[in-house]
Amino acid sequence: EDQVTQSPEALRLQEGESSSLNCSYTVSGLRGLFWYRQDPGKGPEFLFTLYSAGEEKEKERLKATLTKKESFLHITAPKPEDSATYLCAVYISGSARQLTFGSGTQLTVLP
Amino acid sequence: DAGVTQSPTHLIKTRGQQVTLRCSPKSGHDTVSWYQQALGQGPQFIFQYYEEEERQRGNFPDRFSGHQFPNYSSELNVNALLLGDSALYLCASSLLADTQYFGPGTRLTVL
């Protein structure tokens, strides 16, 4: 069965303390991996799309990487405004029309 | 450029009632997908509409139905509401199987 697992479930960091969030997937054929940011009570905000192993994307303090089994979202010198839930989702072969999501990592950055 | 819009923002219904949620896609997008998100979970795919037809459906009962109009906007209908239908309902738009962009969501509470 296709699965997307995110870890840790929750992460508390001090401002400036860099860390990484993990998204591991067991799918029959990856067609794309997506990272979203979600603030409480709001819709997910698109961050990155990755299509093949070895690909990397960057945006401000965030950097996403992809291997054949997992993706990492690296956060460098985070600020309190980076606090949110980060969601990972995949398109899989034969089902490229639906996103399958992990449960998310709730990030809190303390000042 | 307006993003994805949804209405209403919040809705309270009682068990057994019916509800209709509405979505307008991002300008230039022709595909609308609907997701249900329970508290603390990732969004779950309900179905996707393209060219006014349901193209793919997730594991949801027939009580959940939808429609897409010629202007690409969409409606989600839920009949015979259950307590377990309480959730954040998200609409996402895209160009076919490209990146999906989400609206702010409709919070449905079933009493």
Side-chain angles (χ1 to χ4, degrees):
Chain A
E1 182 181 333
D2 300 316
Q3 264 195 322
V4 179
T5 304
Q6 292 189 244
S7 62
E9 289 185 7
L11 182 62
R12 291 166 67 92
L13 300 173
Q14 289 295 134
E15 184 172 2
E17 179 186 2
S18 301
S19 188
S20 297
L21 313 183
N22 178 264
C23 171
S24 64
Y25 57 92
T26 53
V27 299
S28 52
L30 185 71
R31 295 285 298 275
L33 185 141
F34 302 80
W35 282 98
Y36 291 86
R37 168 197 169 123
Q38 186 174 29
D39 293 307
K42 306 243 175 114
E45 174 190 346
F46 170 70
L47 294 174
F48 304 109
T49 307
L50 301 166
Y51 291 105
S52 56
E55 191 174 358
E56 299 182 352
K57 295 273 181 74
E58 282 189 72
K59 178 181 178 180
E60 296 179 356
R61 295 178 292 282
L62 300 177
K63 178 179 176 181
T65 62
L66 181 64
T67 72
K68 288 186 178 179
K69 293 183 179 180
E70 58 193 349
S71 177
F72 292 93
L73 185 65
H74 307 277
I75 303 177
T76 302
K79 299 182 178 182
E81 54 261 42
D82 294 322
S83 297
T85 295
Y86 291 85
L87 294 164
C88 167
V90 298
Y91 274 152
I92 60 175
S93 293
S95 185
R97 300 183 181 276
Q98 74 176 72
L99 286 171
T100 299
F101 279 87
S103 294
T105 293
Q106 185 175 4
L107 175 66
T108 303
V109 182
L110 304 170
Chain B
D1 177 23
V4 180
T5 60
Q6 292 186 243
S7 63
T9 305
H10 296 91
L11 207 50
I12 299 176
K13 292 285 188 179
T14 57
R15 282 178 297 175
Q17 285 189 312
Q18 178 263 344
V19 69
T20 298
L21 311 182
R22 295 177 175 82
C23 172
S24 290
K26 188 177 168 65
S27 177
H29 286 181
D30 57 7
T31 302
V32 173
S33 304
W34 287 92
Y35 293 80
Q36 180 194 66
Q37 186 176 25
L39 207 60
Q41 300 297 317
Q44 297 292 313
F45 176 77
I46 303 175
F47 43 54
Q48 185 181 83
Y49 278 84
Y50 171 69
E51 291 187 336
E52 301 181 48
E53 289 189 11
E54 182 183 294
R55 297 290 178 164
Q56 185 148 346
R57 188 178 185 93
N59 189 24
F60 278 80
D62 292 344
R63 297 187 297 109
F64 290 77
S65 64
H67 189 77
Q68 186 180 34
F69 299 94
N71 66 353
Y72 307 117
S73 66
S74 177
E75 287 182 350
L76 164 66
N77 300 292
V78 187
N79 293 323
L81 284 166
L82 304 174
L83 294 178
D85 294 332
S86 295
L88 181 67
Y89 287 85
L90 295 164
C91 167
S93 75
S94 61
L95 268 175
L96 280 181
D98 205 346
T99 299
Q100 294 188 15
Y101 293 85
F102 285 83
T106 293
R107 171 68 62 187
L108 173 64
T109 302
V110 182
L111 302 177

